[in-house]
Amino acid sequence: MGEENKVTLHGMWISPYVNRVQLALKVKGITFEYVEEDLSNKSPLLLKYNPIHKKVPVLVHNGKPVSESFVILEYIDETWNNEPRLFPEDPYERSRVRFWASYIQQVTECMLKVLKDEGQDKALEEFLEKLNVLEDGIKNSSLGIDTNIEGRNMGLLDIMIVVTLGGYKVQEQVFGVKILDPDKTPLLCSWVTSLIELPIVKEYAPPHDKVLSFLHFLKQGGLKTPRN
């Protein structure tokens, strides 16, 4: 890759917002350099590229920074408009994907509250309610959630849901709460299960032991998970 087309992603390995972008770049087949940031000691480049929020992820393309995970995902799909596309071409279908992406963002935020034990009972109740709504959305095919990954490429909703819920087993192990229940949300469970078996997802997923260690640290009141 020429210097004029260089792509760099500044991130933190445990952040779901960073991992969305990282997985999207891999799905699109974009070569990029990854820079791990220490958010307790932010680098001069991070402060330069994201002076407003001073958070990750930040994508730098041709020397120009793009911040906020959803903005970055749209930028990626519009800049590299080759297949596979993250967003549908049809404007109406694209609007439905944006709607559900916004909803999955709420699911992610609720999950982070549960993991950080922020009023866990209330946070867990809200989280499970949102999963039930998502399950109903999958059941209603007219709402536009395609969970059948066979014969198609990963899209935006696949990326967002597998990053949010793909590590549910280790999360359940550490925090002692049921994240995914196949009896209550069978379609959602099936969707997540099929996604985590994909080679590209297995390649991106952080090591189990590393996640386990970090979640124990988080549970004990350690570093807050970055939100962007």
Side-chain angles (χ1 to χ4, degrees):
M1 176 180 294
E3 189 67 26
E4 69 279 3
N5 290 316
K6 185 177 179 181
V7 179
T8 304
L9 174 62
H10 292 256
M12 180 183 178
W13 70 273
I14 196 64
S15 167
Y17 306 106
V18 171
N19 288 334
R20 290 173 185 173
V21 176
Q22 190 170 14
L23 185 53
L25 289 167
K26 291 181 180 294
V27 168
K28 295 286 287 186
I30 300 166
T31 301
F32 66 99
E33 176 186 347
Y34 177 75
V35 177
E36 178 74 9
E37 291 283 352
D38 177 1
L39 297 187
S40 63
N41 183 25
K42 297 173 183 178
S43 73
L45 278 180
L46 178 60
L47 298 177
K48 171 187 174 182
Y49 288 141
N50 191 1
I52 304 301
H53 298 299
K54 303 177 178 63
K55 296 179 180 179
V56 293
V58 176
L59 185 82
V60 183
H61 178 220
N62 293 336
K64 299 176 181 178
V66 185
S67 303
E68 299 288 337
S69 61
F70 195 78
V71 176
I72 295 172
L73 292 170
E74 287 193 306
Y75 177 84
I76 289 170
D77 209 39
E78 291 171 2
T79 302
W80 292 273
N81 57 8
N82 55 288
E83 295 293 335
R85 298 303 302 268
L86 304 180
F87 293 81
E89 291 283 356
D90 180 77
Y92 178 67
E93 293 302 323
R94 193 160 59 246
S95 72
R96 296 204 293 181
V97 165
R98 284 196 176 103
F99 172 84
W100 284 112
S102 176
Y103 189 83
I104 294 172
Q105 169 70 13
Q106 296 175 35
V107 174
T108 304
E109 291 171 357
C110 285
M111 184 191 70
L112 291 175
K113 289 179 182 179
V114 174
L115 296 182
K116 290 186 285 187
D117 200 22
E118 295 179 0
Q120 192 179 79
D121 289 343
K122 183 179 179 180
L124 180 59
E125 181 181 354
E126 183 182 1
F127 175 65
L128 295 178
E129 285 177 359
K130 289 190 178 298
L131 292 187
N132 288 331
V133 171
L134 192 53
E135 178 78 7
D136 290 341
I138 296 170
K139 287 178 184 176
N140 189 342
S141 59
S142 67
L143 294 178
I145 303 179
D146 181 8
T147 63
N148 183 9
I149 194 64
E150 291 186 18
R152 68 172 177 83
N153 294 306
M154 290 184 71
L156 179 71
L157 299 186
D158 299 306
I159 290 169
M160 292 188 69
I161 202 67
V162 77
V163 168
T164 298
L165 297 175
Y168 74 95
K169 290 183 180 179
V170 67
Q171 293 162 355
E172 291 176 347
Q173 179 182 347
V174 172
F175 294 95
V177 296
K178 194 68 175 174
I179 303 293
L180 282 183
D181 189 333
D183 294 326
K184 295 180 179 179
T185 54
L187 298 176
L188 182 57
C189 288
S190 176
W191 186 17
V192 172
T193 300
S194 64
L195 289 171
I196 61 179
E197 290 301 317
L198 295 176
I200 194 170
V201 174
K202 288 183 176 181
E203 178 187 347
Y204 113 89
H208 177 276
D209 291 346
K210 188 176 181 181
V211 176
L212 189 65
S213 176
F214 183 86
L215 290 183
H216 277 300
F217 174 64
L218 188 66
K219 185 179 180 181
Q220 293 165 6
L223 179 68
K224 291 185 177 181
T225 307
R227 302 173 69 173
N228 191 356

